[in-house]
Each structure stands twice: as C-alpha cells, then as structure tokens.
Amino acid sequence: MQNAEGIWFLMQVFPYRNQEHVIRGVVINFINIHETKIAIKETARVNEFLTHLIDTNPGIIYIYDLEKEQNVYASGHLAAIAGYSDDEVRKLGSGLREKLFHKDDLSTIDAHHKKMKNIADGEISQIEYRLVHKSTKKSIWVFSTDKVNERNEKGEVISILGVAQNINEMKGLQHLLKISESRLQLAIKGNRAALWEWSDLKENRAWWSKEFYEILGYTAKSLKPLFSSFINIIHPEDIIQFRKSLEENVEDNNGLEEDIRIKTKNSGYRWFRVNAKAHIESDGNIIKKIVGTLADIDHKKQSENKMKELNVELERFAYLASHDLKEPLRTVTSFTKLFKEEYDNVFDDNARTYLDFIEKASARMITLTNDLLLYSQLDDKSLSFEKIPLDRELKNILDDLQKTIVDTNAKIKIDKLPEILCDAVQIRQLFQNLISNSLKYRKPNITPKIQIGYEDKRNAYQFFVKDNGIGISKEYHQKVFEVFKRLHSNEEYQGTGIGLANCKRIVDNHQGKIWLQSTPGKGAIFYFSIKKNLKPLNRHEENKLHSVS
C-alpha cells in the first residue's frame, strides 16, 4: 500500500492472542519497501525494453559455449535464414554444421572461436562467413560481432556474447559497386580522362588521381596536391573565366563544364574539358568539397578549329554563289515574262505549261539564293548589341505578318517580355521565323493558336514559341535545325529548309541554345535561350580563342 506521500509500505496483519489463546485483537506492522518497489518496477521496465530490443533487432543475439560448441541462448536461429525449420534443426543435430555453413568457411569459423578463447575483456572480434541455403544452394553472407561473456575460475573464456546479421544484400551492393568502379576506371582510361578533388575549400587541400598525373605528365613531387597548383598551370587567358564558372557552380550547385588550356609537362598547353560538382552537406548550406573530371580534348579542339576554317570558306562560297546567281536568275525570270507577253498568242498549251515550269523553278531558285545569302551573312556581319524592349519588337513583327494572321484567323498571345541585350536585326528575324513557321505548319481547318513567353534564368533568358500545329516527330527534333533539311514537299508546304538553320545560327551568335518539344498532331514548342551580359566576338577573336598556344 501507499501512504498520502506516495511511499510504498508492506502491511503485515497478525492476530493478537491472550494467554488463553483467544484472539483479542491484531498486531499491524508497516515496513517501508519504497526503494525495493521502485527497483522492481525499474527492473521490469528494463526487461521489457530488452525484450523489445531483442524481438525487433534484425540480427540474432546469442551466447555461444566454446566448450560444448553450441548456443546456450539465441534470439533466433541462423538455420532459419538458410531455409531450415526448427524440426529440421533438431533432427540434423550436430550434422547441421556441415550442411549450414559453406565448406570453405568452416576453418575460418574454427580459427575465430580459437581466437575468442584468448581475447581480452571488452575487446570485440568480427567475422564474415557464408551460410548455404537448403533449397537454392546459394550463399548467404553473415557478419558476426563477438565479445567475452563468461570466464571460468581459471580465467579461461568459456562463453561469448555475439550478434549475427544477414549482410547478403550489402554484399550484393558491394559487388555491384566494384563492377561500377571497374567500369568507371575503364571509361576514364579509355577517354584519356582523370579524377580530381578539391578536398578542403578553406585549406586549399586537393587530391589528384593517378591518371591526372599521367595525362599531364607531372609527378606527385612536381605538382603538389593543392588546388592552387592546378590553377597555376591553367592558361592565363582562361583562368578568369574558369574561376568565375567555378564560383557560380559553388553558389548554385548546377555543375561546371568548361574547356580550358592547361600546361602539360612535355607538350605545352593543351585543351582539356573540366567537369565539376560541389558536394554539399545534408543541411544544404555547407560545401564540403568539389569533385570533378579532367579529359584531354586537344585533338577534338584541333578538328573543331579545322572545321571552323572550312565553314568560313564554305560560307564565303555560299555568299558568292548565291550573290552571283541572283542576276542571271532575274534575267531568266524577266525574259520569260517578256517572252510570254509577246508570244502568248502563238503558244499552244504545252508551251504555256513549259514556260510556267520555268517561271516557278526560277522563283524558287531566287528564294533559295536569298535565303542562302542571308544564312551566309549571319556570322560574317558585325554584331551590334544594344538594349531593346522585346514587347515593341514583337508588335512590329505582328504588324508585318498582319495579312497572314488575318487570312488564317490566328490567335497569338504574347506574355510580358523583358528588355534584353542583343543584335536587334537578328533577334527580330529569329522571332519572325518561328512565328511564320507556326502559321505555315498549321492544321487544316483548325484556328492557329500561338503563345510566346519566357523564363528568367540565372545567366540567360529562356524564351518559347508554342503552337497547336501539325507537330514534328522526335526523330527530326535535331535535324530541323540543319541547312536544307525539309520534312515536307513543296506541294505540301513551300520553303527552302533554311529558316530554322538561320534561327540556330542567330541563337549561337547570342551564346544560347535552341531546341524543341513536339509530338505529331499535337503542336510544337520551340525553346531558345539568350545569354545575359553578352560580349560580341568577331571572327578574328573567335579564331584566336580556339587556337592552341
């Protein structure tokens, strides 16, 4: 019982007898058992906790008798992991050992138990071994952690306390990880690439892989594992941009991909592609380190430079060819028209058909030469960047396209657009081409609907032109931006296949990207980005940038 203060007592009641052994009352004793009662409750609570811990533990807790070579206690049985029932375990008896454990691990287990006989109190010993599943005969990896449980009077260890865990899934993951690491190493070596790590941003500490030293030609002694050492071998003209890109990556964690020139030990400066990613702590704020790859792309850069030179020559040829063809084509068109007007009364139907073919072919050729001339001029003309309000430019474009818009009954929605730094003539042409495409490739008997908008990204404006037209198959999403790539015949839709190629070249001039999302019959969305803070490059500067010092 408890008193008013909550103290526990044991109350004993005895009969009080007189000399004649007649009960004349009672004797009552109160014994304070408060501490004992609390201790019993605490013991019960601890026992309940331990029972819960044992029942919910994924491992098997056991006490193993080293002399009898059997478990004195176990919260479960290893044999159950391998598919054996309790009845099978009892029937097999001592023969279970040979069936349950992998034959190659029996000597390892025996050596472990022998070691446990000489282990110190408080010291632990761990072992990995395999069970063999009764049905599948597949191996199941188990990990055991053991310590001394009891010693005899002589101080010899007679039993051990341990926990055994099924680690088969972890072993499978380790195997996959090894395979993945092996593939990564092969990929790195096959691409003449290397790994690097800026291990401590505060202390400048870094790490270079073996391949890093190999492709640069340095030794660990000549190139110390400091990030400043890496910065010091970057070409002076590339350091500022590399540092800026690295800082942006650290700030927004979008990842870094930069082509830079690095001074090798034996071959001077060569082009390399650097990729990097910041590793951020779980709280999302602290950047612990930056890891990345380094790939030798010098041969690729040399090929790109040669291609650029060839493209310049090709553009000159296209300009000259298209420019020189315009005059004779005009002459053919003019004289064909005069010929028809003067001799129309003596022509039969066949003659008129032939002349009509000549006129149409000449007109298409003039359109083609004009488009080709425009395409060749897009890179050669000197870019003039200025701030322009796109809302005003789009209004002017829609005014120019007003007849087509009215004829097609098109509905065009334009979101509020920003003021951007760009070449006004080229950007106007870009939007006009995309809107014209949406109007041209509309569905029959369906009102064309076009929406134009943008997203303000960190380093660029990302625009879109969305329509409900005929759409484009996925296989052509890249090809449509190539010169002369037409998806339809002239009978279906007239054109030269240069319009979207012009769009790509304009976007390239503004250091952005262009792409599309589309499904046949469900319209198309053309996306393109225009970089903020543009710095124009003329042809001489561009070639200089891509040359190898």
Side-chain angles (χ1 to χ4, degrees), residues 6 10 16 33 72 86 108 127 174 211 237 254 295-296 298 313 319 330 404-405 423 453 458:
L10 174 66
Y16 171 67
I33 61 167
V72 177
D86 291 340
T108 304
I127 179 177
Q174 287 178 346
E211 293 80 12
E237 293 179 6
N254 285 333
D296 188 338
D298 196 69
E313 295 302 319
Y319 174 80
R330 286 197 190 98
T404 307
I405 293 172
D423 183 286
R458 177 182 174 80

Side-chain angles (χ1 to χ4, degrees), residues 28 87 149 233 331 413 427 494:
I28 301 176
D87 288 340
N149 178 65
I233 59 175
T331 302
K413 178 186 176 183
I427 290 299
Q494 290 189 352

Side-chain angles (χ1 to χ4, degrees), residues 1-3 6-14 27-38:
M1 59 174 291
Q2 285 178 288
N3 66 7
I7 304 298
W8 284 96
F9 291 89
L10 174 66
M11 184 178 73
Q12 296 176 327
V13 182
F14 299 96
V27 177
I28 301 176
N29 295 330
F30 290 94
I31 302 170
N32 187 328
I33 61 167
H34 188 76
E35 291 186 5
T36 304
K37 190 76 172 178
I38 296 302

Side-chain angles (χ1 to χ4, degrees), residues 218-233:
Y218 296 103
T219 63
K221 187 176 180 181
S222 59
L223 187 68
K224 294 181 180 179
L226 299 173
F227 197 71
S228 57
S229 300
F230 180 48
I231 295 294
N232 289 337
I233 59 175

Side-chain angles (χ1 to χ4, degrees), residues 405-417:
I405 293 172
V406 171
D407 291 344
T408 58
N409 196 30
K411 307 298 180 186
I412 301 178
K413 178 186 176 183
I414 302 176
D415 299 340
K416 178 69 177 175
L417 298 178

Side-chain angles (χ1 to χ4, degrees), residues 189-412:
K189 289 183 179 179
N191 289 286
R192 278 192 56 77
L195 298 174
W196 61 270
E197 178 183 292
W198 189 358
S199 310
D200 191 325
L201 277 63
K202 293 181 179 179
E203 298 184 9
N204 190 30
R205 193 166 64 245
W207 169 85
W208 325 123
S209 68
K210 181 180 69 174
E211 293 80 12
F212 187 92
Y213 287 108
E214 288 176 354
I215 64 176
L216 293 177
Y218 296 103
T219 63
K221 187 176 180 181
S222 59
L223 187 68
K224 294 181 180 179
L226 299 173
F227 197 71
S228 57
S229 300
F230 180 48
I231 295 294
N232 289 337
I233 59 175
I234 296 176
H235 194 285
E237 293 179 6
D238 299 337
I239 289 177
I240 294 175
Q241 180 58 40
F242 177 71
R243 281 186 174 277
K244 181 181 177 183
S245 299
L246 194 62
E247 287 171 6
E248 290 174 356
N249 168 62
V250 169
E251 187 172 336
D252 55 30
N253 198 31
N254 285 333
L256 164 73
E257 183 175 287
E258 197 80 25
D259 292 351
I260 58 174
R261 288 162 289 181
I262 298 176
K263 189 174 185 179
T264 62
K265 180 71 174 177
N266 302 315
S267 305
Y269 284 105
R270 291 177 64 86
W271 280 101
F272 290 87
R273 176 159 295 161
V274 180
N275 291 81
K277 186 77 174 175
H279 175 68
I280 298 179
E281 292 289 352
S282 57
D283 62 5
N285 294 318
I286 302 173
I287 297 175
K288 190 174 182 181
K289 60 184 176 182
I290 297 176
V291 295
T293 59
L294 183 75
D296 188 338
I297 59 166
D298 196 69
H299 290 298
K300 181 184 176 183
K301 278 287 184 181
Q302 298 285 9
S303 299
E304 285 179 358
N305 290 337
K306 289 179 181 178
M307 285 299 297
K308 286 180 184 294
E309 292 172 4
L310 289 172
N311 282 337
V312 171
E313 295 302 319
L314 186 60
E315 286 162 15
R316 288 201 189 98
F317 171 77
Y319 174 80
L320 293 172
S322 57
H323 184 271
D324 292 348
L325 278 171
K326 289 177 72 174
E327 192 57 39
L329 283 170
R330 286 197 190 98
T331 302
V332 170
T333 303
S334 298
F335 276 95
T336 303
K337 184 178 180 181
L338 291 172
F339 195 59
K340 282 180 67 177
E341 291 174 352
E342 188 168 343
Y343 297 100
D344 184 67
N345 58 336
V346 297
F347 287 161
D348 59 14
D349 289 341
N350 283 339
R352 292 189 182 91
T353 300
Y354 298 153
L355 284 172
D356 189 49
F357 280 142
I358 294 172
E359 278 189 320
K360 288 181 179 178
S362 299
R364 286 199 302 271
M365 194 64 183
I366 289 172
T367 301
L368 179 61
T369 55
N370 286 336
D371 286 350
L372 190 59
L373 184 62
L374 180 62
Y375 179 79
S376 67
Q377 289 176 324
L378 281 176
D379 251 8
D380 284 340
K381 69 180 293 185
S382 178
L383 294 172
S384 177
F385 290 151
E386 58 180 314
K387 282 273 188 179
I388 65 163
L390 286 180
D391 289 328
R392 183 192 68 195
E393 288 300 316
L394 265 293
K395 184 180 181 302
N396 294 335
I397 292 171
L398 295 187
D399 288 343
D400 292 344
L401 298 173
Q402 190 61 30
K403 185 178 186 307
T404 307
I405 293 172
V406 171
D407 291 344
T408 58
N409 196 30
K411 307 298 180 186
I412 301 178

